[in-house]
Amino acid sequence: AQKVTQAQTEISVVEKEDVTLDCVYETRDTTYYLFWYKQPPSGELVFLIRRNSFDEQNEISGRYSWNFQKSTSSFNFTITASQVVDSAVYFCALNPILTGGGNKLTFGTGTQLKVEL
Amino acid sequence: NAGVTQTPKFQVLKTGQSMTLQCAQDMNHEYMSWYRQDPGMGLRLIHYSVGAGITDQGEVPNGYNVSRSTTEDFPLRLLSAAPSQTSVYFCASRPSRRDRASYEQYFGPGTRLTVT
């Protein structure tokens, strides 16, 4: 069975602070993809990043960075110098390729990030 | 491209009523899925399809039917709505495995359903 745990239900920070959102996953698949999605108050799901299980390189995109560590089954997301516009719910998701055929995304329960002035 | 579209955006049903949530995509994607989002539970897979004429169950299929007669459309049917089906429903699609970026799912804007 697949499982994604986002232990942080809600995080509040002051603008310009750095914040890290944790994601821990469980799967027996050796081939899988991990994703982060952003859900702003308007409700749509915005794709942020995709990472496959064979690529452990960390990635940086502007103020966003991701730390993928297979040894600890974690795929953490850091926002540097947070802004009010970063306020949203963030979801981590796992897509197992062998057992799920790439068709069964398992989502975490999400982390509500509130960035205040 | 319009991407993935869903109609309606909002719907209120009474217990026992039936309705169909529409989902369409214009990207010629083979794979389509339906998820529901409930507070504190993330998104959960209801049904999915790997191509026209082929569907399968996800994690929470009870109370829902699907069919896939064309590549573009993947409607979700509630035959007898129950209050437990109050949720936000998202449709998603992705390309075939032949596409290098195939495992990214493209989500529609969602349908907010309330069953009273």
Side-chain angles (χ1 to χ4, degrees):
Chain A
Q2 331 296 327
K3 186 177 181 181
V4 176
T5 301
Q6 294 180 256
Q8 304 151 308
T9 304
E10 186 173 319
I11 301 175
S12 290
V13 299
V14 176
E15 200 175 39
K16 297 184 184 178
E17 285 185 1
D18 299 346
V19 58
T20 295
L21 310 182
D22 297 332
C23 173
V24 175
Y25 63 92
E26 296 176 28
T27 181
R28 291 184 179 179
D29 264 42
T30 56
T31 304
Y32 51 88
Y33 280 79
L34 294 163
F35 299 83
W36 276 95
Y37 288 89
K38 174 182 180 180
Q39 187 175 46
S42 52
E44 74 273 21
L45 286 164
V46 178
F47 166 80
L48 295 178
I49 190 173
R50 175 187 66 247
R51 172 68 69 213
N52 75 55
S53 52
F54 299 108
D55 182 2
E56 288 194 70
Q57 277 193 330
N58 291 332
E59 183 158 339
I60 298 174
S61 176
R63 296 184 297 107
Y64 295 170
S65 62
W66 292 269
N67 182 0
F68 176 32
Q69 292 193 335
K70 284 182 74 171
S71 60
T72 57
S73 297
S74 64
F75 187 41
N76 296 338
F77 172 31
T78 297
I79 302 174
T80 302
S82 59
Q83 299 176 1
V84 173
V85 293
D86 296 326
S87 297
V89 179
Y90 291 85
F91 290 99
C92 181
L94 167 69
N95 193 353
I97 305 307
L98 297 179
T99 60
N103 299 311
K104 300 180 179 179
L105 267 180
T106 296
F107 283 81
T109 52
T111 296
Q112 170 80 61
L113 175 64
K114 296 183 178 180
V115 182
E116 301 167 334
L117 292 171
Chain B
N1 287 349
V4 180
T5 58
Q6 293 183 236
T7 56
K9 289 186 178 180
F10 302 94
Q11 183 70 49
V12 179
L13 290 178
K14 293 184 177 180
T15 297
Q17 286 185 318
S18 63
M19 81 158 296
T20 299
L21 306 186
Q22 301 292 345
C23 174
Q25 52 88 12
D26 61 358
M27 298 173 282
N28 201 31
H29 286 174
E30 288 188 31
Y31 300 99
M32 297 185 74
S33 309
W34 276 102
Y35 293 83
R36 61 177 287 174
Q37 182 182 12
D38 302 296
M41 300 190 74
L43 281 79
R44 292 178 294 168
L45 180 64
I46 304 172
H47 285 286
Y48 66 96
S49 169
V50 300
I54 306 170
T55 64
D56 205 348
Q57 296 181 351
E59 180 185 355
V60 288
N62 292 340
Y64 307 96
N65 282 348
V66 293
S67 60
R68 183 101 178 269
S69 56
T70 67
T71 299
E72 295 78 19
D73 301 299
F74 191 42
L76 179 71
R77 298 182 183 85
L78 285 71
L79 298 180
S80 179
S84 60
Q85 294 178 304
T86 294
S87 189
V88 180
Y89 292 85
F90 287 96
C91 180
S93 72
R94 70 172 181 87
S96 71
R97 295 179 188 180
R98 294 182 292 275
D99 187 302
R100 287 182 61 186
S102 67
Y103 296 108
E104 175 188 341
Q105 301 231 12
Y106 295 75
F107 283 88
T111 294
R112 186 174 294 274
L113 176 68
T114 301
V115 183
T116 61

